[in-house]
Amino acid sequence: VMHDSFRGYPAAWWDFMKGCPNKAMDSHIYQAWNMPSKIDKYLENACNFKGGLQTMHDLLDMPMIVGEWSLATDNCAMWLNGFNDNLPGYPKVTCDMQPCAKPYMGAEQPGAPPDPEEPLQGPYGTGVSGPQFGFCPVGFKWGTQEDAVMTTLAHNHLHAFNSVNGWIFWNFRTELEAKWSFLWAYRNGWFPRNVTDPKDQGVLD
């Protein structure tokens, strides 16, 4: 399995390993680094991924797998781009803040839990992301329609990604971010009970 190096177009791969057995192409597809927009744009993008994936699948001599994706529409998640770091100019939205998770390795770890009396602490990377006064950055919510929006977004992604040979949600479990946690999102009812069938309207009991 090889990553497409974010060159998800057939011309980059026409003759690569042509005729070789036991191979697959892995594409990582995110909207977390897109420019902010109305939810309709993210929903449309999720549907449109299907065309590009199917083109790659049909024209290349290998199966297509979406090896990473999430439901995030911003990159607010703490340390998403590295410890105390973010990409220059990001995040491009106002992130929500919530109490930081308790340290799963024990409170004896240095600096754990984050001191509720301390502001953002260094060292920093090229951007800024980290706990402040005991609160950690998380993605913003789509108002009172959060569940409905996330459910539609998940189903649109599944409609696209189930058209090829498989997908892997990133991640299985997180501490603070449901949009990066398959288990949390599934329990929220954003995914259908049967994730291989986006028409399945059933949710986890």
Side-chain angles (χ1 to χ4, degrees):
V1 178
M2 66 205 82
H3 184 232
D4 63 10
S5 66
F6 298 104
R7 293 179 292 172
Y9 45 90
W13 304 99
W14 281 128
D15 300 317
F16 186 72
M17 296 182 68
K18 206 75 171 179
C20 294
N22 305 321
K23 62 184 179 181
M25 181 69 73
D26 167 27
S27 187
H28 298 177
I29 300 177
Y30 291 106
Q31 299 201 68
W33 290 270
N34 290 11
M35 294 298 293
S37 65
K38 294 183 178 179
I39 189 57
D40 290 349
K41 183 61 177 176
Y42 295 109
L43 299 177
E44 179 185 359
N45 289 343
C47 288
N48 289 341
F49 292 141
K50 180 178 181 179
L53 288 167
Q54 287 191 322
T55 297
M56 289 282 283
H57 178 271
D58 293 344
L59 296 181
L60 298 185
D61 181 31
M62 65 184 81
M64 284 296 301
I65 300 169
V66 180
E68 289 186 21
W69 68 283
S70 79
L71 292 171
T73 55
D74 59 66
N75 82 331
C76 288
M78 189 171 75
W79 300 348
L80 182 61
N81 293 285
F83 175 73
N84 269 9
D85 203 357
N86 208 328
L87 298 180
Y90 283 84
K92 295 187 179 296
V93 299
T94 301
C95 303
D96 288 343
M97 302 290 287
Q98 68 181 50
C100 297
K102 294 180 179 179
Y104 58 87
M105 293 179 65
E108 69 276 7
Q109 300 300 311
D115 192 332
E117 302 301 324
E118 292 289 345
L120 191 68
Q121 302 292 298
Y124 308 115
T126 56
V128 176
S129 177
Q132 303 180 53
F133 302 106
F135 284 78
C136 290
V138 296
F140 76 91
K141 290 182 170 56
W142 292 93
T144 60
Q145 299 300 309
E146 171 79 353
D147 285 335
V149 165
M150 287 297 105
T151 299
T152 303
L153 188 61
H155 281 240
N156 286 11
H157 278 103
L158 291 177
H159 177 72
F161 299 160
N162 283 336
S163 70
V164 286
N165 300 100
W167 51 263
I168 301 170
F169 190 86
W170 196 268
N171 291 292
F172 180 69
R173 179 178 180 270
T174 65
E175 297 172 322
L176 295 173
E177 283 279 5
K179 296 170 187 177
W180 291 92
S181 170
F182 175 81
L183 190 61
W184 193 343
Y186 187 76
R187 288 172 174 169
N188 279 351
W190 298 347
F191 282 100
R193 183 170 46 206
N194 178 2
V195 296
T196 65
D197 180 10
K199 294 182 180 179
D200 181 355
Q201 298 300 313
V203 296
L204 182 68
D205 294 329

